[in-house]
Amino acid sequence: MRTEAAAAAAPLAKVRPARRLEGAGPALLVPSALYVLVMFVYPFCYGVYLSLRPGKGEGGLSVANYLAFFLDPWQARTIWVTLSLAVPNTVLTVLLALTVAYVMRRGIWLERTITTLLVLPIALGTVLVAEGINGFYGPKGWLNQLLLMAGLPDPIRLTHNYTGVMIALFVQHFPFCFLMLLGYISGIDPALEHAARVLGARPWDVFRRVLWPLIAPGAAIAFALVFVMNFGVFPSAVLVGQPAGATRTIAIAAYQQAFEHYDMSMASAIAVIMGAGQLVGLIIVLLLRGRLAATGVATMGAGKR
Amino acid sequence: MRGGGWRLAVFCFVLGFVLNLVGIVGHVVVSSFARRWFATPLPPDWTTAWYAYSWREFQLPQILTVTVVVAGSVTALALLLGFPAAWALARRDIRAKGALLLLYFLPLLIPQMTYGIPLATTLYRYHIGGTIVGVILANLVPMLPLAIFILLPFFEQISVNLEWAARVHGASRFQVFRRVVLPLAVPGLLTAGLLILVTTVANFELTFLLSGAGSQTLVVALYYAVFAAGMRPIYSVDAMAVIYMAIVLAILLVALRFVRPTQMVFRLDRG
Amino acid sequence: MAEQIGSLHFRLTKRFGGKTVLDDFALEVRGREFVTFLGPSGCGKSTALNLLAGLIPPSAGEIWLDGTRIDGLPPERRGFGMVFQNYALFPHLTVFQNIAFGLELRGWPRAEIAGRVRQMLDLVQLPGFEDRYPGQLSGGQQQRVAIARALVIQPRLLLLDEPLSNLDAKLRLEMRTEIKRLHADLGLTCIYVTHDQAEALSLSDRVVVMREGRVMQAGTPAEIHDRPQNLFVADFMGYRNFFSLTVTGGDPDGTVVGRAGPLTLAGRGAAPLPPGAAGVAAVRPEDVAVTGEPPGPNVLRGRVRLTEYLGREYDLEVILDSGQTVKARVAQPVAVGSTVGLRLPAERVVILLSEDGGGGIP
């Protein structure tokens, strides 16, 4: 289509207005690109620079902030805390979302209603969901009332701890991940599945040999996105967690440096560490994705037994 | 057939999830109308007094004004800057298209807490931090790319031939824009506008980092209220939460007339 | 080479929601037969194929293969081969892996698989393409791979769902011949679905013309082509000229005579038509001949309104005194505006029962 356009435009090249129209392309992009550069790339670079100038900014560049972070157990621990939330939650979210999306790939009863309801937590945002979780899962909430009625001796503590944050993250990210994967999986041509079935594949063979290799790249990206979001968890960790203890995540540490200690240099350093953590997660997933795709094809060629 | 067991299990899981959602939202709504509510299925006495209390105590008129100004400005600016960019990306052979898409994608990919702190540092240095302008400028960072990515598929669907046909039939460049491009772009702009509006109203992190005393949006005010639980009756906090929810749901309901739920998340097949 | 089936017979009904897309469709297919389901889109032909393959469950009915009832079997246990409209090649697998797919699932040893796949690639004339991915092949090549993938498992029955409709005109003819050759060489039993009457006529032993889930006519290509039994089939098979008439008489040999206004038309009756019955005479443009004879039985006069040059022949549109237009295909050019005589040879005119008092003429 583009080459067609170019070919059709060629004989008209002498007509001036047409050429002006072509030239307008890059100019239309300048304002938005400039905005992202000035308001996103520049602050990011400035943050990295600032993180390397500890104290009041005298003297040269130094990694003192980073050293201080990793040597202070109270700070360094946040990485572990964040990972202990992000990794299990991401695995759980993606596995469940993948299963549900896979089973629902050819539609399900009340599909439109269900997907619409699932948009709610995404649209309402973390703060409202956190407040609702504190109520619903709280010691006096409906869930614990139900459990007590069912014969449980004491209410279970589901809020203001690790579990609360896990619930909050799951409620937020499961619908997100599910809708993403549902769009992806239902886009796969059903004829591929039919072809495999007719050729002798049982439902499990269809999944393992045909659909999983096609789904895996999308699932990997979904995994990466959910992990990155989980790694930056802030409001849920404060509102339904224990921000001074079990759920003091790295985002909380960065926020406290910036807005409670007013140490922008150290805050920037922590933000950089947070970004690096997300990047590492992203890279691991993308590397795995490459391997996944490769072995998917390789085992097929080997001709399983 | 044999997949029946799986389907049933999955359906039960989804149903359970939805019931939990209903519980989460329902608890807030019921609590906002309760005179007192303590470990009973429903409160013994009902009242609407907390709404008046909340309206007064949380300075909602001022906060709502800020919210409307911020959300409106961000939406307008994101469409204004995003429209030409998306059109150019859909229409012209842009040399560095991949790099540009990555540039636009980063603010959506990277969590706001990660780049919000350096952004806040920068904006406070120029004394924009803490003001409404600062909140608007910061929110535009993810919303502008969002506008571009929502508009792009709409524009890619519109055949270039339509523009050419208009030119051939005697329309000037401005007339083409006014009479062909703009009307065709309306569905995309409407969708993008609504989604950006609802996302901005609900956008917490950047607004939180950039807002000062007079520039809090509703969601940030709600955060502080929940954070300082115990300062004021929880029922009044929940009343504020319901007001927030009503606003988000109203926009969402309109938006869902134009978009499918799966369109409200990243498209995985892109890039 | 394939294991031969004796016969397949079925009787199937399929409803989606409240809509019946296949209404008690019954047929018996004999071994080595090539049967085509022909009809416009939405006639239920693809649904019928998917029911036979087991991809969707029937609402009612049964399928019997050589005395065994198979409609309860999942598709993977029916042992059929299927070729899809969009080929449905697995995009993440090479040509080799695509063709080997069915054999691997059947637990064949690797060495034998390799040999069989090579053999199949030779058969579909794609030797050396083992390591390509489907995305690197042209439409025709993809179609050949899809056929090889379906045939490699030596299916008892080969189902083909509009396999040529995504190809361009030239390639379509080529692949049609190819399918014909494979059917003849391998002694396959095939069920073929298409909306293209030329494909159906050239490939099939038997054609089943369908409309809205019902069989309109089943028979050999010649029967369908020369002796349509109703207006729908006649229209679908290229009859373009229709004349409403009232039957006035007939011969025991099947000739029926009727009057259409001032015209007297004789033709072969599709069914016994008693005098007084409302009928429709149908004739193809190719069978209408220009003549100098004076008007009489089966000879009409009219003015040429339009001619179209087709390269070898001319299409004429002739308007009769009654205002009706007749289409004819002739070898010699005729001037627009001139008056011509047209003869409708009685042995080429089919007289059908009018379905709803003449209003049903397409």
Side-chain angles (χ1 to χ4, degrees), chain A residues 179-270:
Chain A
L179 290 175
M180 214 157 47
L181 287 171
L182 184 67
Y184 186 74
I185 295 176
S186 53
I188 296 175
D189 181 5
L192 294 179
E193 189 176 338
H194 291 162
R197 290 298 295 274
V198 173
L199 284 167
R202 286 157 300 160
W204 172 248
D205 298 317
V206 172
F207 174 74
R208 205 186 68 75
R209 287 167 173 264
V210 179
L211 293 180
W212 173 243
L214 298 174
I215 294 168
I221 293 180
F223 190 95
L225 287 176
V226 174
F227 174 79
V228 165
M229 289 194 298
N230 276 339
F231 201 84
V233 54
F234 177 76
S236 322
V238 175
L239 298 180
V240 261
Q242 251 178 308
T247 67
R248 184 170 180 271
T249 60
I250 189 162
I252 296 179
Y255 171 76
Q256 286 175 340
Q257 282 302 326
F259 292 93
E260 287 172 17
H261 303 297
Y262 298 105
D263 184 348
M264 288 307 189
S265 175
M266 184 66 185
S268 298
I270 301 179

Side-chain angles (χ1 to χ4, degrees), chain B residues 43-192:
Chain B
D45 292 312
W46 303 83
T47 177
T48 53
W50 297 118
Y51 285 86
Y53 179 90
S54 176
W55 190 262
R56 209 170 50 240
E57 290 296 309
F58 293 115
Q59 284 133 26
L60 286 190
Q62 192 256 336
I63 285 169
L64 285 174
T65 313
V66 171
T67 309
V68 168
V69 169
V70 168
S73 312
V74 168
T75 307
L77 286 171
L79 291 183
L80 204 67
L81 294 177
F83 183 10
W87 193 267
L89 285 170
R91 278 288 174 271
R92 320 267 174 244
D93 260 327
I94 304 297
R95 207 175 314 149
K97 188 167 176 176
L100 267 171
L101 287 177
L102 184 67
L103 177 71
Y104 291 132
F105 186 56
L106 281 177
L108 292 173
L109 174 71
I110 298 176
Q112 296 184 4
M113 277 313 275
T114 311
Y115 69 84
I117 285 178
L119 178 62
T121 309
T122 312
L123 289 182
Y124 276 106
R125 203 160 67 108
Y126 293 105
H127 308 291
I128 311 172
T131 66
I132 292 187
V133 175
V135 172
I136 294 171
L137 290 180
N139 271 292
L140 201 52
V141 174
M143 297 310 162
L144 171 57
L146 188 63
I148 294 175
F149 281 109
I150 296 172
L151 289 173
L152 196 53
F154 277 97
F155 292 168
E156 278 170 346
Q157 280 170 13
I158 301 173
S159 166
V160 191
N161 289 342
L162 291 174
E163 285 169 68
W164 289 356
R167 293 299 295 276
V168 168
H169 289 100
S172 70
R173 262 206 299 163
F174 177 73
Q175 284 171 319
V176 170
F177 177 77
R178 171 75 190 70
R179 289 162 173 269
V180 180
V181 173
L182 211 55
L184 287 172
V186 163
L189 289 173
L190 205 63
T191 306

Side-chain angles (χ1 to χ4, degrees), chain A residues 189 191-203 205 209-211 213-214 296-305, chain C residues 53 55 74-76 80-82 84 86 88-93 97-98 101-102 104-108 110 133 149-150 153:
Chain A
D189 181 5
L192 294 179
E193 189 176 338
H194 291 162
R197 290 298 295 274
V198 173
L199 284 167
R202 286 157 300 160
D205 298 317
R209 287 167 173 264
V210 179
L211 293 180
L214 298 174
V297 174
T299 49
M300 289 306 299
K304 288 281 287 174
R305 289 165 295 278
Chain C
L55 296 171
E76 64 267 24
F80 295 170
M82 187 158 177
F84 293 81
N86 59 0
L89 296 179
F90 306 126
H92 59 297
L93 303 182
Q97 291 163 339
N98 262 285
F101 189 87
E104 285 175 6
L105 288 165
R106 282 164 177 72
W108 279 44
R110 279 181 65 181
Y133 282 91
R149 184 179 68 175
I153 58 170

Side-chain angles (χ1 to χ4, degrees), chain C:
Chain C
M1 69 181 188
E3 172 195 349
Q4 283 310 310
I5 65 165
S7 85
L8 170 88
H9 65 98
F10 59 85
R11 171 175 292 279
L12 292 165
T13 296
K14 180 65 186 177
R15 284 180 286 271
F16 285 120
K19 197 170 175 291
T20 304
V21 288
L22 205 60
D23 189 6
D24 202 28
F25 175 34
L27 195 73
E28 175 162 7
V29 178
R30 291 175 296 276
R32 294 175 183 257
E33 200 178 11
F34 198 116
V35 175
T36 298
F37 300 166
L38 174 67
S41 66
C43 73
K45 57 192 193 298
S46 288
T47 305
L49 206 66
N50 287 337
L51 287 170
L52 290 174
L55 296 171
I56 48 175
S59 306
E62 36 199 64
I63 306 169
W64 291 80
L65 182 66
D66 289 338
T68 316
R69 189 169 169 180
I70 60 161
D71 46 285
L73 290 181
E76 64 267 24
R77 290 180 53 202
R78 295 193 183 191
F80 295 170
M82 187 158 177
V83 179
F84 293 81
Q85 182 170 4
N86 59 0
Y87 325 130
L89 296 179
F90 306 126
H92 59 297
L93 303 182
T94 61
V95 166
F96 181 97
Q97 291 163 339
N98 262 285
I99 299 176
F101 189 87
L103 298 178
E104 285 175 6
L105 288 165
R106 282 164 177 72
W108 279 44
R110 279 181 65 181
E112 285 180 43
I113 289 179
R116 274 292 282 164
V117 171
R118 299 261 138 65
Q119 210 181 320
M120 291 315 297
L121 281 171
D122 287 340
L123 186 73
V124 296
Q125 300 171 353
L126 281 180
F129 279 71
E130 286 89 339
D131 296 328
R132 305 274 191 98
Y133 282 91
Q136 301 168 306
L137 302 180
S138 70
Q141 290 168 336
Q142 290 190 37
Q143 187 55 274
R144 288 166 193 269
V145 176
I147 292 172
R149 184 179 68 175
L151 289 180
V152 74
I153 58 170
Q154 305 190 337
R156 299 190 283 181
L157 175 68
L158 182 64
L159 307 170
L160 302 107
D161 188 3
E162 307 223 18
L164 305 185
S165 62
N166 282 353
L167 300 177
D168 63 51
K170 183 168 169 289
L171 209 52
R172 200 177 306 159
L173 282 180
E174 208 174 286
M175 287 305 295
R176 198 165 89 187
T177 315
E178 195 83 343
I179 291 174
K180 184 101 184 158
R181 178 177 67 83
L182 287 170
H183 173 247
D185 289 357
L186 305 178
L188 296 166
T189 311
C190 296
I191 298 181
Y192 188 98
V193 159
T194 184
H195 61 266
D196 182 317
Q197 44 129 331
E199 264 172 41
L201 295 178
S202 68
L203 286 168
S204 319
D205 297 319
R206 201 142 54 101
V207 179
V208 180
V209 185
M210 298 174 70
R211 177 199 195 183
E212 288 169 8
R214 293 162 186 272
V215 174
M216 300 309 287
Q217 188 174 351
T220 64
E223 282 167 357
I224 301 281
H225 185 264
D226 297 337
R227 279 194 284 283
Q229 280 172 356
N230 48 56
L231 275 173
F232 176 80
V233 176
D235 183 49
F236 204 77
M237 298 311 296
Y239 287 76
R240 287 286 165 270
N241 301 309
F242 298 94
F243 304 86
S244 296
L245 50 72
T246 309
V247 176
T248 53
D251 292 340
D253 67 350
T255 305
V256 172
V257 182
R259 283 197 69 81
L263 300 173
T264 303
L265 289 172
R268 284 175 294 111
L273 287 161
V280 176
V283 67
R284 294 168 193 278
E286 299 91 313
D287 295 328
V288 177
V290 173
T291 177
E293 299 167 68
N298 284 29
V299 179
L300 332 165
R301 286 192 80 78
R303 201 165 44 79
V304 178
R305 191 163 64 176
L306 211 63
T307 73
E308 276 179 81
Y309 181 48
L310 301 179
R312 174 185 278 270
E313 298 144 317
Y314 298 81
D315 263 359
L316 302 186
E317 202 174 285
V318 178
I319 186 153
L320 305 182
D321 294 339
S322 62
Q324 188 177 359
T325 51
V326 177
K327 293 188 171 69
R329 182 163 295 174
V330 296
Q332 299 300 324
V334 183
V336 172
S338 59
T339 303
V340 290
L342 299 174
R343 203 164 70 78
L344 317 181
E347 67 278 12
R348 288 294 180 181
V349 175
V350 182
I351 299 192
L352 307 157
L353 188 64
S354 174
E355 272 154 31
D356 41 18
I361 293 175

